[in-house]
């Protein structure tokens, strides 16, 4: 059964094909900025928790075909790399940006570029950070040949790379190289989700399945014999088994376990647990209601 959801999968790709002018979805590396005149300033990409720069996770090319101004449309997802900033049901360590252009614009050709041989990306008119690929208004004060988004990445690059070459007559151009603080780079290719019809278990079969799972845990030493388990522990275990949200999540993802993206604009997210937001805040700009567009499963795999 085919659904309205498009699934994304990771595939290796030549780096030059992941440049901005090819409008590809991707994970990792540096962002391939679409709108080059309005690349966000560093403070817009700071974690609201630790106030350090968020790192680019992925970009999703999602044009809206019925709107000319959105002929090219890219969504960018950034996350904080500090584990302590990850807390239940909060998003202070996550930043999502949108960029869009009409087909006729100042940056890209009207027709798609050829992909028969390597070519350079459309250059940014503003300097970019050599570490993360975001806007880099600061320069090395000594050689003034490399740019940074701020002192955090400047110090990092000084220790790892720049200290050894700063002041040299010729500095190796590493603006296209990926720092080791970035995620590995892959293209995201999409295809429609297809779900096989499955037979629903009867209540008796479900109880039998649960007991088999319990016996397996006992054999593995992960839980004691039934007589050794308190009533409260049994209740907790039963609640875990009966978590319909997680069970639904596992069953749905099991059809395509390598998926890293679920795209379903104006659809519904596939919740991992019954703990879901009670209210989705309206847009701060137009004050209209927000709609679901995509979710990533990079953490799941």
């Amino acid at each position: 059964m085919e659904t309205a959801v498009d699934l994304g999968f990771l595939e290796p790709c030549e780096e030059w094909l992941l440049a901005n002018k090819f409008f590809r979805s991707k994970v990792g590396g540096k962002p391939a900025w679409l709108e080059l005149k309005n690349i966000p300033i560093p403070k817009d990409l700071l974690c609201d928790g630790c106030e350090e720069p968020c790192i680019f996770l992925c970009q999703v090319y999602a044009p809206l075909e019925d709107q000319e101004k959105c002929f090219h449309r890219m969504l960018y997802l950034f996350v904080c790399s500090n584990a302590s900033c990850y807390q239940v049901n909060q998003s202070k360590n996550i930043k999502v940006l949108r960029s869009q252009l009409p087909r006729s614009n100042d940056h890209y050709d009207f027709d798609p570029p050829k992909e028969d041989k390597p070519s350079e990306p459309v250059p940014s008119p503003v300097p970019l950070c050599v570490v993360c690929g975001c806007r880099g208004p600061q320069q090395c004060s000594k050689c003034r040949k490399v740019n940074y988004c701020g002192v955090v990445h400047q110090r990092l690059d000084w220790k790892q790379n720049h200290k050894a070459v700063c002041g040299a007559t010729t500095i190796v151009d590493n603006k296209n190289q990926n720092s080791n603080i970035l995620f590995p780079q892959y293209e995201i290719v999409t295809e429609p989700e297809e779900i096989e019809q499955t037979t629903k278990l009867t209540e008796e079969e479900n109880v039998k399945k649960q007991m088999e799972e319990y016996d397996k845990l006992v054999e593995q030493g992960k839980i004691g014999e039934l007589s050794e388990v308190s009533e409260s522990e049994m209740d907790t275990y039963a609640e875990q088994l009966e978590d319909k949200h997680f069970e639904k999540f596992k069953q749905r993802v099991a059809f395509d376990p390598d998926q890293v993206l679920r795209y379903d604009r104006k659809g519904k997210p596939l919740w991992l647990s019954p703990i879901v937001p009670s209210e989705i805040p309206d847009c701060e700009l137009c004050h209209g209601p927000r709609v679901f567009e995509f979710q990533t499963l990079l953490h799941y795999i």
Side-chain angles (χ1 to χ4, degrees):
M1 177 179 67
E2 188 171 310
T3 73
V5 180
D6 285 328
L7 301 182
F9 302 90
L10 298 183
E11 283 194 3
C13 182
E14 293 286 343
E15 186 168 351
W16 65 274
L17 285 170
L18 297 176
N20 50 10
K21 65 181 179 182
F22 294 109
F23 314 113
R24 277 178 161 85
S25 299
K26 70 166 189 149
V27 162
K30 297 175 182 177
W33 297 110
L34 177 66
E35 223 291 52
L36 298 171
K37 292 181 180 179
N38 295 311
I39 295 175
I41 59 178
K43 71 175 185 178
D44 291 336
L45 291 173
L46 296 181
C47 172
D48 292 338
C50 66
E51 298 186 347
E52 292 197 1
C54 288
I55 301 300
F56 172 71
L57 177 63
C58 68
Q59 63 188 57
V60 179
Y61 184 61
L64 302 181
E65 297 178 355
D66 58 340
Q67 299 184 34
E68 168 57 23
K69 66 180 181 180
C70 303
F71 184 89
H72 295 302
R73 179 170 176 269
M74 194 77 77
L75 304 172
Y76 300 87
L77 176 60
F78 292 78
V79 296
C80 180
S81 57
N82 294 324
S84 60
C85 292
Y86 287 78
Q87 299 177 15
V88 177
N89 287 340
Q90 61 78 32
S91 58
K92 64 183 181 180
N93 59 328
I94 298 172
K95 302 289 182 179
V96 182
L97 306 176
R98 180 196 65 200
S99 182
Q100 57 195 39
L101 288 171
R103 186 171 184 179
S104 296
N105 59 78
D106 297 334
H107 303 304
Y108 307 102
D109 293 335
F110 188 82
D111 295 316
K114 294 182 179 180
E115 301 181 9
D116 54 344
K117 60 181 180 180
S119 59
E120 292 295 317
V122 177
S124 170
V126 299
L128 302 178
C129 176
V130 71
V131 175
C132 67
C134 298
R135 186 184 284 261
Q138 297 186 14
Q139 285 184 322
C140 171
S141 59
K142 185 177 180 180
C143 69
R144 299 193 176 278
K145 293 183 178 180
V146 289
N147 287 76
Y148 302 98
C149 61
V151 295
V152 174
H153 286 175
Q154 184 173 6
R155 290 170 182 165
L156 180 68
D157 189 49
W158 178 259
K159 293 178 181 179
Q160 296 182 350
N161 301 300
H162 193 58
K163 182 179 181 179
V165 298
C166 185
T169 304
T170 302
I171 295 180
V172 177
D173 182 5
N174 64 340
K175 66 178 182 296
N176 293 323
Q177 297 177 2
N178 289 330
S179 166
N180 56 14
I181 70 166
L182 302 180
F183 295 101
Q185 184 170 244
Y186 295 92
E187 181 183 6
I188 300 178
V189 295
T190 59
E191 59 184 56
E193 180 183 40
E194 294 185 4
I195 301 176
E196 299 176 8
Q197 294 288 357
T198 57
T199 304
K200 192 173 182 179
L201 296 178
T202 65
E203 184 175 352
E204 182 179 347
E205 290 172 330
N206 195 44
V207 171
K208 182 180 178 181
K209 179 183 177 183
Q210 291 177 8
M211 291 308 300
E212 288 175 349
E213 292 179 1
Y214 180 84
D215 291 338
K216 185 177 180 180
L217 290 175
V218 172
E219 292 176 3
Q220 295 174 347
K222 296 181 179 179
I223 194 169
E225 295 287 348
L226 199 60
S227 59
E228 301 172 356
V229 182
S230 67
E231 185 175 346
S232 61
E233 288 177 306
M234 283 295 292
D235 289 342
T236 300
Y237 178 70
E239 290 174 2
Q240 292 174 347
L241 288 176
E242 293 172 5
D243 185 346
K244 296 180 180 179
H245 285 82
F246 185 52
E247 190 64 30
K248 178 182 178 181
F249 177 89
K250 290 195 299 181
Q251 290 177 357
R252 188 75 172 264
V253 172
F255 290 111
D256 297 283
D258 294 331
Q259 62 184 276
V260 299
L261 176 75
R262 298 180 62 83
Y263 186 90
D264 185 17
R265 181 174 171 81
K266 296 185 179 180
K268 295 181 179 180
L270 181 59
W271 295 111
L272 183 66
S273 77
I275 305 175
V276 300
S278 58
E279 183 179 356
I280 304 298
D282 291 337
C283 173
E284 294 94 343
L285 300 178
C286 70
H287 306 294
R290 285 188 169 96
V291 298
F292 172 77
E293 186 153 3
F294 73 92
Q295 68 187 92
T296 63
L297 284 76
L298 290 160
H299 63 285
Y300 184 70
I301 60 170

